[in-house]
Structures are given as structure tokens and as C-alpha cells.
Amino acid sequence: VQLQASGGGLVLPGGSLRLSCAASGFSLDYYTISWFRQAPGKEREGVSCIRRRDGTKYYAGSVKGRFTISRDNAKNTVYLHANSLEPEDTAVYYCAAGVHSPILSSWASPGAYDYWGQGTQVTVSS
């Protein structure tokens, strides 16, 4: 069972990236998948979530309207489309998978997830 996060890089403020979270060894469709990020000296924070079964989506307030999460079951991959990037978005981004069905108040709790990808660096700078 493995999650592989990719797609990070260096981008100018206002630019866009598409992060990918590919699974091997299990079907992402049966799991809740979330993206977290961690900047130097800060705690890991939830960015976005797509809930198992019904596909309900959650977003952190700081990215709502700029980031979009989606799932491609055929490719067994979850994407995070990050638009209008700001320097404050600079962080290592991780994807995580869990068998729970979280609600608005619980999706961003890292302890609820069973599997984690290795992280991909996003740097927003001019």
C-alpha cells in the first residue's frame, strides 16, 4: 500500500500547479483522501478533502475558491488543482488516505488517516 504525491515545484505568485496523489496496492475510491501541508516551523494543516463514497469536498478557509480537489477513479489518482498561488502557500504538501467518513469538523485531523504519501514541495516566490 503506497501513496505517491507529485507535481510540486517553484511557481510565481498568481500561478498554478496540479498536485497528484497516486495510489498503489489499494483503490482510492474506498478511502477518504485529504491533502495536508506543512511550512517550516508550522504545524501540519489540512488543505482539502474528498470524502469516500459520496465525494463530499472540504476546503480550508485559506484556499477556498482557489484550490479544487478531484478524483479520477480510472487512474486511481486524486488531484489538487492549486490556482492563484500566494507566497503563504509555500509548504510541503502531503496526501493522506483514511477509511473514515469525516464531517466538516473532523476532516483536517491528521491522526484519522492511515496512509501518507512522501510529500511534494511547493514554493511560491518571485
Side-chain angles (χ1 to χ4, degrees), residues 10-16 66 83-90 123-126:
L10 174 63
V11 63
L12 294 171
S16 299
R66 301 188 296 122
N83 300 315
S84 302
L85 283 161
E86 303 167 354
E88 293 73 23
D89 296 316
T90 295
T123 303
V124 184
S125 175
S126 56

Side-chain angles (χ1 to χ4, degrees), residues 1-118:
V1 174
Q2 211 169 16
L3 289 173
Q4 180 76 35
S6 63
L10 174 63
V11 63
L12 294 171
S16 299
L17 286 173
R18 188 184 74 167
L19 305 185
S20 300
C21 177
S24 58
F26 66 100
S27 174
L28 281 179
D29 189 32
Y30 294 103
Y31 286 78
T32 288
I33 307 298
S34 287
W35 285 94
F36 289 80
R37 66 186 182 186
Q38 189 165 19
K42 294 189 177 181
E43 292 188 356
R44 190 169 296 191
E45 64 171 350
V47 176
S48 184
C49 170
I50 184 165
R51 194 165 66 186
R52 63 193 294 251
R53 295 181 178 173
D54 65 5
T56 296
K57 300 175 183 180
Y58 299 112
Y59 296 95
S62 59
V63 307
K64 201 166 188 177
R66 301 188 296 122
F67 290 15
T68 303
I69 193 169
S70 64
R71 179 165 55 201
D72 186 333
N73 291 334
K75 295 184 178 180
N76 211 28
T77 300
V78 168
Y79 300 101
L80 183 68
H81 304 263
N83 300 315
S84 302
L85 283 161
E86 303 167 354
E88 293 73 23
D89 296 316
T90 295
V92 178
Y93 284 69
Y94 300 89
C95 59
V99 295
H100 59 310
S101 296
I103 57 176
L104 181 60
S105 61
S106 66
W107 70 268
S109 298
Y113 294 84
D114 305 297
Y115 306 109
W116 290 81
Q118 85 289 1

